[in-house]
Amino acid sequence: MKPIRAYGMLALAVSVSALLAQEGGNAENGKRLFAEEGCYQCHGYAGQGGGAGPRIAPRPANSGIQYIRRPTGVMPPYTTKVLSDSALADIRAYLGTIQPPRPVKDIPLLNQ
Ligand code: HEC
């Protein structure tokens, strides 16, 4: 491949990944925000639920995250004043990376 064409491919790859990151939110930053904004206090660090909040991960991408803007139950609201749309997208991306737990039958210690 000629050098000039290789650069073209690289530029394309870089711009595509930048676009994907923008659309999908930054999961790494979302993880940080999830702790910093106190979501973990009610939902657990992995969104597994526990104390005051229900399990919120894993969940299908996009489902339900807007709930935090205008909750109708006991959860406090997070308006754009305290959590920007891009911060919300990052948290959504983080929740999207959380995998379901392994089934009990696949954990040897729990099958003795
Ligand atoms: C004070 C406890 C508390 C905190 C802090 C909290 N939540 Fe919640 N959350 C709840 C409860 C309780 C519910 C269940 C619905 C309700 O009562 O409002 C809920 C519901 C949700 C839902 C909807 C679940 C569904 O199945 O539709 C999402 C999404 C969510 N929370 C995300 C977040 C995120 C993201 C944060 C941090 C920015 C956060 N929560 C902070 C308590 C909390």
Side-chain angles (χ1 to χ4, degrees):
M1 197 184 284
K2 283 185 182 154
I4 192 116
R5 193 182 273 176
Y7 279 123
M9 297 287 278
L10 187 67
L12 184 69
V14 168
S15 53
V16 166
S17 59
L19 196 70
L20 283 177
Q22 199 180 23
E23 272 202 347
N26 180 334
E28 192 75 14
N29 193 44
K31 183 177 186 177
R32 189 182 59 77
L33 288 167
F34 198 77
E36 206 173 277
E37 299 295 333
C39 313
Y40 80 92
Q41 290 175 0
C42 297
H43 295 290
Y45 279 105
Q48 77 273 25
R55 169 183 286 275
I56 54 169
R59 57 178 29 243
N62 279 329
S63 73
I65 195 69
Q66 289 297 332
Y67 178 78
I68 82 166
R69 294 286 189 221
R70 287 163 175 241
T72 50
V74 299
M75 179 168 146
Y78 288 80
T79 65
T80 46
K81 281 185 188 147
V82 292
L83 203 68
S84 70
D85 282 336
S86 83
L88 190 63
D90 291 353
I91 290 177
R92 180 179 52 76
Y94 167 57
L95 293 176
T97 64
I98 294 169
Q99 300 296 313
R102 278 197 291 163
V104 167
K105 68 174 176 52
D106 293 347
I107 303 173
L109 200 61
L110 300 180
N111 285 288
Q112 285 174 357

